[in-house]
Each structure stands twice: as structure tokens, then as C-alpha cells.
Amino acid sequence: MNSTFYLPRKLLSSDRTYTEEALLTTSHYIVVLAEPGGGKTELMGSLAQKLGVATVAANVFGHVGTNVDSCPLVIDAFDELAKVDQTGIHKLLANARRANPTHVIISSRSSEWDNAATSAFENFLGQRPLIVRLCEFDEVEQRAIFDRHVQDEDFSAFKAEVARFGLEALLPNPPVFDIIR
């Protein structure tokens, strides 16, 4: 997707839905879960921008930490670190603890974050993270993305064609719109 076009995301925890702004005021310790292609990296960039910092890849942070203390940490792609190193969460969280952060926000695929990772987070940082799931794009958001990518085309016709092939489940996933460019 064009990086200058961004739709603010909604996130769900239990039965509560958060906007990005509400999420940041609700907790300073957050884990964002979503499936591949769900928009985690773009969301993390948006949250980092709101906090006035840059995102850092978990693989990098797990090895080198940060050279700035007492600032927000926005760590993307924990799942990539977990695939390479099962003890990666401990190294990452130890580096986070040393940085004395004001916020810790981590993104991961759902399949790579479990109760043990949540417990490790709490043990290292002394705070239980708010675990949220990235909401899929609703039809209004899908239409906005479609209109951004394809001018002078009919979203309803596109959606009907997608349904004809039984691919409706792909519409809430951001990368599907990259295909139609």
C-alpha cells in the first residue's frame, strides 16, 4: 500500500474496542496480535509516531537494545525473533527492562505469543500487558482502500467478483488491495 495513505486502526481486547489514541491512554504496556498481512507493521509505525519515537525490529532490539533510556519502546515483529530464538522474548524483555521505558508496545503474530510470553513480560517489566487484537477492516474501510488504489472503478462490482470466487475472507486483509493495483 502507498505509505502516505493510512487508515487508523481499531483494536479489540475481550469485549472492548479501542482506537489507537484510546489504546495509548489506556495502557503503557501493550501486545498487539494479528495474523500475517493484518497491518501490524503499519499500526506500529502509527503508534510510534504518536509517541514521538521510531519502531525497532524485535530481532535488532533483542540483540542490541537501545541507547536511549526512559522513552517509549515500540517493538515490531516479535514473531520473527521467536522463530529464530525461543529464548528471544527473555533477551528482548531484559533489554527493555534495562531501558526503563515509559511504554512498551510489542507486535506479534497470534501464533507466536502465548501465556508464557505474557508471563515473561510481566516478570521482566512488572506489568501485565494489555493484549489486543487488530480488528479487520470493515466494509467502509475496505471501500476507502479500494477507492484509493483504483479510481473510477466500482467497489460493489469488485466485491461481487471476489464473492463469485469465494474469496470474501481476503477483503479485510490489507495486502489484498495491493493485488488490484
Side-chain angles (χ1 to χ4, degrees):
M1 247 190 285
N2 184 342
S3 63
T4 60
F5 178 72
Y6 179 77
L7 287 176
R9 301 302 299 267
K10 295 179 200 126
L11 302 109
L12 180 67
S13 178
S14 300
D15 59 349
R16 184 160 178 206
T17 302
Y18 298 92
T19 63
E20 293 177 27
E21 290 78 11
L23 181 69
L24 293 175
T25 60
T26 299
S27 180
H28 290 205
Y29 300 91
I30 302 164
V31 174
V32 175
L33 303 177
E35 299 317 311
K40 295 180 296 294
T41 297
E42 291 294 323
L43 169 69
M44 297 302 276
S46 177
L47 295 175
Q49 182 179 27
K50 287 172 178 32
L51 292 170
V53 296
T55 60
V56 61
N59 280 326
V60 172
F61 188 80
H63 286 90
V64 299
T66 183
N67 56 2
V68 180
D69 289 344
S70 301
C71 71
L73 295 174
V74 181
I75 304 168
D76 191 28
F78 166 76
D79 47 287
E80 293 173 12
L81 174 63
K83 286 181 188 175
V84 174
D85 180 3
Q86 291 297 317
T87 63
I89 185 69
H90 299 112
K91 293 174 188 173
L92 183 145
L93 292 171
N95 284 340
R97 181 178 177 160
R98 278 190 286 280
N100 191 31
T102 61
H103 297 71
V104 177
I105 305 173
I106 297 173
S107 74
S108 180
R109 290 182 183 182
S110 302
S111 62
E112 301 299 327
W113 192 271
D114 57 16
N115 289 334
T118 301
S119 293
F121 189 110
E122 189 171 2
N123 290 337
F124 276 90
L125 297 172
Q127 298 287 330
R128 186 160 187 84
L130 173 63
I131 302 196
V132 294
R133 296 190 184 280
L134 193 52
C135 294
E136 295 180 333
F137 286 120
D138 63 24
E139 187 169 341
V140 170
E141 294 163 327
Q142 293 168 24
R143 183 180 300 273
I145 295 168
F146 178 87
D147 290 345
R148 173 69 178 190
H149 282 11
V150 184
Q151 285 77 35
D152 302 323
E153 294 289 330
D154 180 14
F155 177 73
S156 297
F158 170 73
K159 189 173 174 188
E161 200 59 18
V162 167
R164 187 169 75 90
F165 290 100
L167 300 173
E168 303 96 313
L170 297 177
L171 284 176
N173 201 352
V176 75
F177 293 98
D178 288 336
I179 296 168
I180 61 174
R181 280 203 264 184

